[in-house]
Amino acid sequence: MKIDKDLILKLEHLSKLQLTEEERKNMIGDLNNILKMVDKLNEIDTEGVEPLTYMTEAVNVFREDEIKNQLSREEALKNAPKTDGKFFQVPKVIKK
Amino acid sequence: MNCQTLKEIQSGLLTSKMTAEQLVAQYLKEISNTEELNIYVQVFEEEAIEKAKALDEKIKSQPNNLGKLFGAVVSIKDVICIQGKPVTAGSKILEGFESLYAATAIERLEKEDAIIIGTVNCDEFGMGSSNENSIYGATKNPIDPSKIPGGSSGASAASVAAGTCLISLGSDTGGSVRQPAAFCGVVGMKPTYGRVSRHGLLAYASSFDQIGILSKSVEAVAATLEVIAGADEFDSTVSTLPVPDFSKTEPSDKKYKVAYFKNALKHKGIQPAIKSSIDSVLEKLKIDDHSVEGIDFSLMDFVIPTYYVLTTAEASTNLSRYDGIRYGHRSSEAKTLEEVYKKSRTEGFGTEVKRRIILGTFVLSSGYYDAYFSKAQKLRRLISEEIESIFEKYDFIIMPTTPDFPWNIGEKMDDPVSVYLSDIFTVLANLAGIPAISIPIKSEGELPIGIQVMASKFKEKELMDFSEIIIKKDLNEQS
């Protein structure tokens, strides 16, 4: 597997990041080196092995459906970079 | 007043040999004496003094009602939330962020009368092995300031080694508590996955992350674990198993069955001085009638690739929450919603974090998911199963904590693969979810060496009892 400029542009878009031309060049080199290391995984036959997804044996940890630990609106907006005091604000999304 | 254990401090306070206020003043003085090491992000000077005064009052008025950690002064890695305080994970993306709540671990520490003295530097979001990837700049190793302290909890280890606090809370996703502990000559422990609540710990890779503890003594680590461990309604991955009396840790007369990995000690990157220190501990254990056997771990060469595929995948998902809208940095250049996301994240994250987000996005993306992500999850099962089968025959596995000594600041900034490979001995415990500890052992040179001991899941008590045996044996030889 080789990462090229087209793929890195797609990954930047998916990651919501924008690299400079210089950074992109370095990133392609770094990722290809990392993938060379990672390709080692193909040496092991994993036919029939279930992927390990959860690290605990607990299943269905239930709790009562009660309203608690709420933040007030004021608290929730406290760290927002832009707000009108009631809502988070972002640039206009719908045209017209 | 150069107390290294919690018991010494507590008995000093109870017998009025010192006051908590004097103790805190002493640590604050050390913090200012070691400012050039760049350990602390924030120092809670006034609050710590106030709390110390209140504790002195309590020692006088209610000596039978003192918390388990009274007299313990603690530093906190800048990834664990303290109510009303900034937490930034060493990242520009969280500039100005103040936590609305306290992490469960913090709440439990304070309830048992521990005093939090400040927050300490780290690699951005815990991603790094050198504490150089931080907006606050590199932290220096107190033993040799030209060297890195390790990472990502590098400043946690440095804060303990420099005598600025008794205990530090760090976080360990692939060795981030144990490797800096080894590099700074202190004890560092990563508990079993699910032993300590992750509520209030900024997420990096959620199926790997655990809060870990650093101090100069196993005793202080054990006392802290007893307080912060156990079920939590805010984190359903925490085990409901009862928490043992960890603070009753002691070097017992029990004889244990110990395995070491022959292929780890023969690893080509390992420093001969580190190998010989580990060999010498193994010899001493044999002489002491513990059974010590060399075995081969067949999947050794696969732990690093498996680890990096899975953690970067989880990181790319976890870090998608930093969108420049609800909290943290927002680019002043952004004119559209898409630009708010892209420019804020691009300006806010450092190079290593971007590298891991992009790699994680790649291994999760359509067309590559099965070949990389799913494949690594299967390897993780095989690795966990092989480890579990070893613990059917042995009580502990011993390895070096690191193959190398701390490197020079700036030395490996352009070589991520070589830094990733330096985690070879520590990531195993996070892949398998088992507890592991790094203990400083005798080193011929000036730089410290850590020995790593791993145990089966939820066997922290046995792990710490055995750690005390190793320390006792290792020291005895010296005298």
Side-chain angles (χ1 to χ4, degrees), chain B residues 365-397:
Chain B
S365 64
S366 146
Y368 303 106
Y369 185 96
D370 287 339
Y372 290 98
F373 185 65
S374 209
K375 180 83 186 177
Q377 285 188 313
K378 291 175 183 178
L379 256 302
R380 189 179 197 182
R381 179 173 301 277
L382 294 177
I383 291 167
S384 296
E385 285 175 354
E386 188 170 343
I387 290 293
E388 275 166 32
S389 75
I390 293 170
F391 285 125
E392 281 167 18
K393 293 189 213 122
Y394 301 93
D395 298 306
F396 306 109
I397 300 169

Side-chain angles (χ1 to χ4, degrees), chain B residues 34-41 119-123 129-142 144-160 162 180 184 406-410:
Chain B
T34 54
E35 221 163 299
E36 76 283 357
L37 298 175
N38 195 28
I39 298 173
Y40 281 79
V41 175
T119 59
V120 292
N121 202 5
C122 59
D123 284 300
S129 308
S130 66
N131 213 136
E132 292 167 294
N133 307 321
S134 160
I135 36 159
Y136 307 110
T139 292
K140 296 170 183 166
N141 192 318
D144 177 349
S146 70
K147 307 286 181 193
I148 56 138
S152 65
S153 313
S156 284
S159 71
V160 169
C184 293
W407 51 90
N408 292 323
I409 290 174

Side-chain angles (χ1 to χ4, degrees), chain B residues 189-466:
Chain B
M189 187 210 208
K190 179 201 94 75
T192 310
Y193 183 81
R195 181 61 100 179
V196 178
S197 169
R198 289 178 291 112
H199 175 65
L201 167 67
L202 302 193
Y204 159 16
S206 306
S207 77
F208 292 79
D209 297 341
Q210 266 294 285
I211 288 178
I213 308 159
L214 303 98
S215 190
K216 284 184 181 167
S217 70
V218 174
E219 170 251 18
V221 170
T224 309
L225 183 62
E226 182 173 312
V227 167
I228 66 174
D232 178 24
E233 64 165 333
F234 294 111
D235 177 0
S236 56
T237 63
V238 182
S239 167
T240 51
L241 285 176
V243 177
D245 294 334
F246 292 125
S247 57
K248 297 209 175 87
T249 295
E250 55 187 2
S252 64
D253 295 330
K254 219 177 142 188
K255 299 301 170 194
Y256 292 102
K257 291 182 81 174
V258 180
Y260 66 89
F261 293 153
K262 286 186 282 187
N263 48 346
L265 284 177
K266 277 189 212 138
H267 187 262
K268 57 183 183 310
I270 193 169
Q271 287 283 340
I274 293 178
K275 183 182 180 306
S276 77
S277 284
I278 303 289
D279 283 341
S280 124
V281 172
L282 293 174
E283 266 322 298
K284 286 174 207 162
L285 290 172
K286 270 187 214 164
I287 294 168
D288 202 31
D289 285 338
H290 298 280
S291 126
V292 178
E293 271 177 61
I295 58 172
D296 271 317
F297 180 59
S298 72
L299 296 170
M300 197 71 195
D301 293 339
F302 299 90
V303 299
I304 294 278
T306 303
Y307 171 81
Y308 275 95
V309 169
L310 296 178
T311 52
T312 55
E314 292 189 26
S316 78
T317 311
N318 270 326
L319 271 60
S320 65
R321 76 189 66 187
Y322 300 102
D323 57 7
I325 293 174
R326 291 155 304 155
Y327 44 77
H329 174 74
R330 180 185 295 194
S331 170
S332 54
E333 311 279 305
K335 305 243 170 5
T336 65
L337 183 61
E338 185 74 1
E339 283 182 2
V340 169
Y341 299 140
K342 283 192 175 167
K343 288 186 189 294
S344 303
R345 288 165 61 82
T346 299
E347 291 169 12
F349 291 130
T351 307
E352 184 57 32
V353 174
K354 286 177 186 159
R355 187 151 47 219
R356 295 197 197 191
I357 290 175
I358 289 179
L359 180 63
T361 305
F362 169 72
V363 301
L364 287 174
S365 64
S366 146
Y368 303 106
Y369 185 96
D370 287 339
Y372 290 98
F373 185 65
S374 209
K375 180 83 186 177
Q377 285 188 313
K378 291 175 183 178
L379 256 302
R380 189 179 197 182
R381 179 173 301 277
L382 294 177
I383 291 167
S384 296
E385 285 175 354
E386 188 170 343
I387 290 293
E388 275 166 32
S389 75
I390 293 170
F391 285 125
E392 281 167 18
K393 293 189 213 122
Y394 301 93
D395 298 306
F396 306 109
I397 300 169
I398 285 186
M399 286 215 278
T401 308
T402 61
D404 215 339
F405 288 105
W407 51 90
N408 292 323
I409 290 174
E411 191 181 327
K412 294 191 183 177
M413 286 305 272
D414 300 321
D415 191 359
V417 172
S418 106
V419 175
Y420 294 177
L421 289 174
S422 72
D423 296 337
I424 179 142
F425 299 140
T426 47
V427 298
L428 188 56
N430 305 76
L431 279 167
I434 56 173
I437 192 166
S438 176
I439 315 158
I441 53 169
K442 211 171 64 163
S443 169
E444 298 296 330
E446 275 162 26
L447 293 170
I449 292 176
I451 192 169
Q452 182 183 209
V453 189
M454 296 181 287
S456 185
K457 284 182 184 173
F458 299 104
K459 298 279 188 198
E460 289 93 350
K461 174 77 172 68
E462 293 78 356
L463 182 62
M464 290 188 286
D465 285 345
F466 184 60

Side-chain angles (χ1 to χ4, degrees), chain A residues 18 30 44 50 79 89, chain B residues 98 330 346 355 375 381:
Chain A
Q18 278 170 330
D30 288 345
I44 298 282
E50 270 297 296
N79 283 301
Q89 285 189 316
Chain B
E98 272 182 19
R330 180 185 295 194
T346 299
R355 187 151 47 219
K375 180 83 186 177
R381 179 173 301 277

